[in-house]
Amino acid sequence: MRSTNPPIVEVKEVKKLYPVRRDFFGRARELLKALGGVSLKIYPAETVGVIGESGCGKSTLGKVILDLEKPTEGEVLFKGKSLKELKGKEYKEYRRSVQAVFQNPSNSLNPRMRIWEIVTEGLKVNYGLKRDELLAKARELIKTVNLSESSLFKYPHQLSGGQKQRVAIARAVALEPELIVADEPTSALDVSVQAQIVNLFLDLQERLNLSYLFISHSLPVVEAVSDRVVVMYRGFIVEEGSTMELFTETAHPYTKLLISSVPGVKEEFRAIEEEGEVKEGCPFYPRCPYRRKECLEFNMELLPLSKTHKVACLLFS
Ligand SMILES: Nc1ncnc2c1ncn2[C@@H]1O[C@H](COP(=O)(O)OP(=O)(O)OP(=O)(O)O)[C@@H](O)[C@H]1O
Ligand SMILES: [Mg+2]
């Protein structure tokens, strides 16, 4: 649960614009706003779920936290210090502490490496352990994610999807991280396997005191794993709250539409078309049944509804 400790990672007013549609000279003619100004703190041993339709910026948020993408504006802090200022040892410590598990383990595991080598690669690079030591560590790690020892000397293609994701998780926990960014970690798996992987995440959290940024399309999965949930729409957090508040006292019209179980409402949802323009005001305006003129000037500030529940909507101002 959320603690009184300082956050591991803080995302501070991050904007990320991607250049799209270049001209003859390679200059960007238009900018796509993947993140419009996102702020978020992730505390020790908590799970923050991220939901929102395709293209709303969930993975981009994960990537700026992992330093795989640089913010166009704003910054990401690790233990209070901007990633831009982390040098040498401090940056290494950040890389160790913040790990990732992605959607498709087939793409993220090197096909030419054996499982024991994959899960201990970080240990080899960081601590220069010898083969024997690495193998012993690999045995431990493989056990931690409930794989059998026989998988140690196999290659990724010899494992099932669920087993491969367990390997990716073992690799992520090898360096004893504090935060794992899990971007759709169950989406590529068979439904029957999804629950097992979700349970593994929950189990590891308890044993290793981990925090997760858990990105998923699956609302039941997010509900099951998250202490808090943030809802994104076109590059903005439109609502955040404890999982309970978010699902039972849903405030933002977009969240209501997203989690609505009424058939027909869901069907209205279509993936976002690529949209180059950077518009002002509430991005949900065109689809919102409660829209009014002022919404076009709204800065998407999150307004408090309770200590833990916030919404970016003028209906609540
Ligand atoms: N490298 C890039 N160059 C240009 N545009 C990008 C790039 N990466 C992402 N985008 C665009 O930024 C927006 C946000 O993308 P992002 O991948 O963060 O969405 P997402 O919420 O993770 O979607 P999904 O649920 O489909 O994974 C999208 O419109 C996407 O097309
Ligand atoms: Mg994504």
Side-chain angles (χ1 to χ4, degrees):
M1 287 309 282
R2 191 171 185 166
S3 63
T4 48
N5 294 325
I8 302 167
V9 158
E10 177 173 359
V11 177
K12 243 174 135 175
E13 289 164 44
V14 165
K15 292 189 185 175
K16 180 68 190 179
L17 306 179
Y18 285 116
V20 288
R21 283 191 258 282
R22 293 175 183 280
D23 66 12
F24 181 75
F25 302 101
R27 292 177 298 218
R29 286 205 324 217
E30 279 181 38
L31 293 171
L32 186 142
K33 189 161 49 175
L35 295 176
V38 167
S39 297
L40 180 69
K41 292 175 183 169
I42 306 170
Y43 291 91
E46 72 163 350
T47 299
V48 180
V50 184
I51 55 177
E53 66 204 52
S54 189
C56 70
K58 303 182 296 298
S59 294
T60 305
L61 174 62
K63 283 181 196 158
V64 297
I65 289 174
L66 290 162
D67 205 25
L68 298 174
E69 291 284 0
K70 308 277 182 220
T72 311
E73 275 179 46
E75 57 184 357
V76 176
L77 312 182
F78 171 67
K79 308 241 170 113
K81 211 162 172 186
S82 170
L83 295 190
K84 286 179 280 194
E85 287 158 23
L86 295 182
K87 301 258 147 58
K89 252 192 178 162
E90 283 179 323
Y91 188 75
K92 251 182 132 175
E93 169 62 9
Y94 152 76
R95 293 304 289 219
R96 183 194 67 74
S97 297
V98 183
Q99 296 286 327
V101 174
F102 294 108
Q103 174 168 0
N104 195 333
S106 306
N107 297 341
S108 65
L109 306 180
N110 186 336
R112 281 181 285 276
M113 280 165 75
R114 282 176 294 187
I115 303 308
W116 77 268
E117 296 169 301
I118 292 174
V119 297
T120 55
E121 203 185 6
L123 290 163
K124 191 170 154 190
V125 174
N126 275 270
Y127 304 118
L129 301 182
K130 294 198 211 62
R131 191 177 191 274
D132 282 1
E133 296 165 319
L134 290 173
L135 261 170
K137 270 284 181 193
R139 279 206 173 84
E140 245 175 68
L141 284 163
I142 243 46
K143 232 201 229 154
T144 308
V145 297
N146 305 323
L147 283 172
S148 68
E149 280 210 13
S150 63
S151 43
L152 282 176
F153 296 95
K154 288 184 177 164
Y155 290 92
H157 76 267
Q158 295 171 291
L159 303 184
S160 71
Q163 288 170 332
K164 275 187 271 196
Q165 200 58 306
R166 285 177 194 274
V167 172
I169 294 168
R171 176 178 58 184
V173 299
L175 291 167
E176 297 173 14
E178 292 168 77
L179 168 65
I180 293 182
V181 175
D183 191 350
E184 310 266 8
T186 63
S187 307
L189 307 174
D190 290 342
V191 177
S192 58
V193 183
Q194 287 185 10
Q196 294 169 19
I197 298 296
V198 166
N199 284 335
L200 177 61
F201 273 107
L202 290 172
D203 175 44
L204 289 176
Q205 177 163 52
E206 222 171 272
R207 280 154 60 191
L208 309 174
N209 224 22
L210 287 165
S211 293
Y212 298 130
L213 183 77
F214 202 101
I215 300 168
S216 178
H217 272 115
S218 165
L219 299 180
V221 167
V222 166
E223 199 172 357
V225 300
S226 307
D227 300 302
R228 293 195 287 140
V229 176
V230 306
V231 182
M232 293 184 66
Y233 188 78
R234 296 203 174 193
F236 289 95
I237 293 178
V238 296
E239 183 165 359
E240 67 173 78
S242 70
T243 306
M244 182 71 131
E245 285 170 317
L246 200 108
F247 284 96
T248 62
E249 290 157 51
T250 312
H252 199 282
Y254 172 67
T255 316
K256 285 192 172 157
L257 192 56
L258 183 68
I259 71 178
S260 164
S261 52
V262 182
V265 178
K266 276 257 162 88
E267 270 75 83
E268 285 175 28
F269 272 77
R270 278 169 287 121
I272 293 172
E273 304 285 320
E274 193 173 285
E275 191 189 274
E277 290 168 73
V278 179
K279 289 204 200 89
E280 295 304 313
C282 177
F284 192 57
Y285 180 87
R287 291 163 81 181
C288 184
Y290 311 103
R291 67 184 175 209
R292 41 192 214 227
K293 259 201 334 245
E294 303 90 274
C295 301
L296 288 169
E297 273 147 42
F298 184 48
N299 63 5
M300 297 305 285
E301 176 193 358
L302 284 158
L303 312 165
L305 296 175
S306 80
K307 255 190 186 161
T308 47
H309 193 184
K310 293 182 206 160
V311 64
C313 177
L314 283 178
L315 284 175
F316 301 89
S317 67

